[in-house]
Amino acid sequence: MQKKALLLATALLTIATQAFGADITGATSNRVAMHRIVQDRAVAPQADYAWDRPYCLRYRSQHPDLLILGDSILDGWSGYLLHVFPRALIDARVGRQFSSAIPIYRALLGYPGVRAIRTVVVELGTNGPVTPQQVAGFLQLAGPGRTVVFIVPQVPRPWAREVQSLYASLPQQYPNVRLEYWNRLSSLPDGQENMAYFWGDGVHPNWAGIQVLVNGLQGVLGG
């Protein structure tokens, strides 16, 4: 039954998330993002590490224990994530903003295989501002019994500091929240972005960068 539920989720949510398309005003354009994830595929040491489509709902295990919600950063490198986290279920989309996270997560929770997942990773905040109300709504949906890991974004956009500050405040309010400080891992000692980890847009990690991001996530998850 769980296998059928996840297969059904794949079919339905490919359609459903189309309805939750983000307003990406001020964010990296879809065209640029798609160019970057095509570059991911060109440099990936294994072809299946990269994904060159604007949306993914990917998994290998019929019993996933980790849900990852993200934007083009994790869409493009979703194959590498599955290599490192073979029991992950990854839902990522180019241009996605945090505002779409609640309806997407609510839809996913309609399936038993997803409801059983107790750890959720959120990689959102690259494409637009995030409000405390949005985060509170998402965490209410997740419930106190799930661990929620927020990846603190590194992005040269005007909302970056506000999102970073918001995420940094969450563990004090929510005992089930953990953080991966991608903004710190990807910065030089003077606080500037380490461009050795990014493509030219300063947003999308290259092969060197995604390894740092994923290693950091492994550390937060304890694996």
Side-chain angles (χ1 to χ4, degrees):
M1 290 296 293
Q2 195 171 46
K3 179 179 179 180
K4 291 181 179 178
L6 279 173
L7 290 174
L8 182 60
T10 303
L12 291 181
L13 288 169
T14 299
I15 299 171
T17 51
Q18 298 287 340
F20 303 139
D23 172 10
I24 60 169
T25 302
T28 302
S29 70
N30 285 359
R31 181 184 60 80
V32 170
M34 286 303 301
H35 176 64
R36 299 309 176 193
I37 63 178
V38 168
Q39 286 182 297
D40 294 344
R41 192 170 184 85
V43 303
Q46 295 188 35
D48 64 350
Y49 279 5
W51 180 258
D52 58 0
R53 302 176 193 176
Y55 172 70
C56 74
L57 182 67
R58 305 183 70 187
Y59 59 92
R60 291 178 180 171
S61 172
Q62 300 301 332
H63 304 283
D65 61 6
L66 176 65
L67 173 63
I68 300 175
L69 298 174
D71 52 33
S72 58
I73 290 172
L74 298 190
D75 176 44
W77 287 113
S78 55
Y80 180 56
L81 285 170
L82 285 173
H83 171 75
V84 178
F85 304 110
R87 293 187 62 189
L89 171 63
I90 304 169
D91 185 311
R93 186 174 183 84
V94 170
R96 180 176 285 168
Q97 295 194 26
F98 198 100
S99 57
S100 67
I102 293 177
I104 288 169
Y105 188 33
R106 183 179 292 116
L108 284 166
L109 286 173
Y111 301 93
V114 179
R115 286 200 298 273
I117 297 174
R118 311 313 295 174
T119 304
V120 181
V121 173
V122 178
E123 181 273 310
L124 294 169
T126 298
N127 291 301
V130 181
T131 70
Q133 293 77 18
Q134 290 168 346
V135 172
F138 184 88
L139 290 172
Q140 182 178 14
L141 189 61
R146 287 188 177 89
T147 298
V148 181
V149 178
F150 289 88
I151 297 178
V152 184
Q154 174 67 290
V155 57
R157 298 290 185 270
W159 58 79
R161 289 188 181 277
E162 184 177 349
V163 176
Q164 292 165 355
S165 178
L166 172 60
Y167 284 1
S169 72
L170 295 178
Q172 299 175 4
Q173 305 171 59
Y174 302 96
N176 61 321
V177 168
R178 299 179 187 175
L179 301 177
E180 183 198 358
Y181 287 95
W182 169 234
N183 60 322
R184 297 177 183 174
L185 294 173
S186 60
S187 293
L188 297 167
D190 63 2
Q192 298 298 308
E193 283 190 332
N194 184 347
M195 290 306 296
Y197 292 159
F198 293 93
W199 294 115
D201 61 3
V203 174
H204 293 86
N206 56 25
W207 172 235
I210 196 61
Q211 290 178 88
V212 173
L213 190 157
V214 170
N215 286 343
L217 183 57
Q218 282 184 293
V220 174
L221 294 173

